[in-house]
Amino acid sequence: MSEILKIDQLYPVDQKDADKLTDLLTQCFAEDPLYCQLIPQKTMRKRLLPGLFQCDLDELFQTCHVYADSPEMNGIIIVSDETEPQNGVRRRIVEMFASWKTAALLLEEDPSCKTLWNFIRGQEYLNSEWTEDLGEAPRLHVVYFAVRPSKRGQGVASRLMKAVLAFADENGMEVSLETHNQRNLEIYRHYGFHLFEVVKKHFPLKQFCMVRPSEAAQGTLAAS
């Protein structure tokens, strides 16, 4: 893992914090439209989410930068630096291993394969392939951005996002992310993101793909 991306204002999360991070993500995404679509049964979703996030984190700790607001982890932002050199073979192996673990977990919980089939059909919602259409500009991609429900409205989200955006501005980078909750659009627009496209495949669910231009590009747009 490259050490290019360093954000001193935030707490760097590593493997020792995995249990706390899993608990945070489970709380934050228990009623997220994406997971409600993929796992409609609430009791099954409650059982599955911790294991699913553990599978994700096995991959993300190796491929992304994970930051919290503090060691207490009231909020989290997980960022992929798309400018970092990647070992394509190694990354593919890591992704495949995480996919196998996820599939095994889904089959163990639901041997009928219905939930696994939902995840297969929902791949466009689970990856960020849409960013391939953004071109070659230096870019950060926000993989997860979440604040513990009991801590919302206390400035945690702002602290996390502003630190990442400041790093992006200092390094001439645009920032991308996606959300499946339409209510989040205005929040992200407040931080300077604009809607790039809407993905809708196989399900009524919509994925809102958003981009915040680099500071230089924002200046060019403002001047034109």
Side-chain angles (χ1 to χ4, degrees), residues 5 7 77-83 128 130-131 134-145 160-178 188-189 191-196 208-218:
L5 197 161
I7 302 176
I77 191 163
I78 300 179
V79 183
S80 173
D81 185 346
E82 302 300 309
T83 68
S128 302
W130 66 272
T131 58
L134 291 177
E136 299 299 322
R139 180 171 49 83
L140 300 178
H141 183 73
V142 178
V143 182
Y144 280 116
F145 177 49
L160 291 164
M161 183 60 76
K162 286 182 178 179
V164 169
L165 297 182
F167 178 92
D169 288 342
E170 289 168 6
N171 291 276
M173 306 172 82
E174 65 183 18
V175 184
S176 57
L177 56 78
E178 59 264 338
Y188 291 129
R189 287 188 177 117
Y191 291 116
F193 289 85
H194 65 80
L195 187 63
F196 179 75
F208 302 96
C209 307
M210 306 191 77
V211 180
R212 180 184 184 270
S214 66
E215 195 170 43
Q218 291 178 52

Side-chain angles (χ1 to χ4, degrees), residues 41-55:
Q41 295 181 9
K42 188 170 185 176
T43 54
M44 183 185 293
R45 192 163 64 248
K46 184 177 180 179
R47 290 194 301 268
L48 272 173
L49 281 182
L52 290 173
F53 286 127
Q54 287 171 9
C55 292

Side-chain angles (χ1 to χ4, degrees), residues 79-95:
V79 183
S80 173
D81 185 346
E82 302 300 309
T83 68
E84 292 182 347
Q86 298 287 342
N87 182 323
V89 174
R90 178 179 176 276
R91 183 171 188 135
R92 184 59 181 156
I93 291 172
V94 170
E95 291 173 349

Side-chain angles (χ1 to χ4, degrees), residues 193-211:
F193 289 85
H194 65 80
L195 187 63
F196 179 75
E197 68 174 345
V198 178
V199 174
K200 185 177 178 182
K201 298 283 185 70
H202 306 301
F203 299 112
L205 180 71
K206 293 180 180 179
Q207 176 171 279
F208 302 96
C209 307
M210 306 191 77
V211 180

Side-chain angles (χ1 to χ4, degrees), residues 2-74:
S2 170
E3 294 297 328
I4 296 173
L5 197 161
K6 289 185 178 180
I7 302 176
D8 295 333
Q9 309 97 301
L10 301 179
Y11 172 72
V13 180
D14 59 28
Q15 199 72 47
K16 73 178 186 300
D17 301 303
D19 289 344
K20 291 169 68 175
L21 181 51
T22 297
D23 176 69
L24 171 63
L25 292 172
T26 300
Q27 286 189 39
C28 293
F29 289 96
E31 300 299 327
D32 183 80
L34 172 63
Y35 292 103
C36 289
Q37 180 70 66
L38 298 178
I39 316 171
Q41 295 181 9
K42 188 170 185 176
T43 54
M44 183 185 293
R45 192 163 64 248
K46 184 177 180 179
R47 290 194 301 268
L48 272 173
L49 281 182
L52 290 173
F53 286 127
Q54 287 171 9
C55 292
D56 269 358
L57 292 176
D58 287 343
E59 175 186 347
L60 295 175
F61 276 126
Q62 298 185 63
T63 60
C64 296
H65 300 267
V66 185
Y67 286 100
D69 63 308
S70 67
E72 289 72 34
M73 276 191 238
N74 298 312

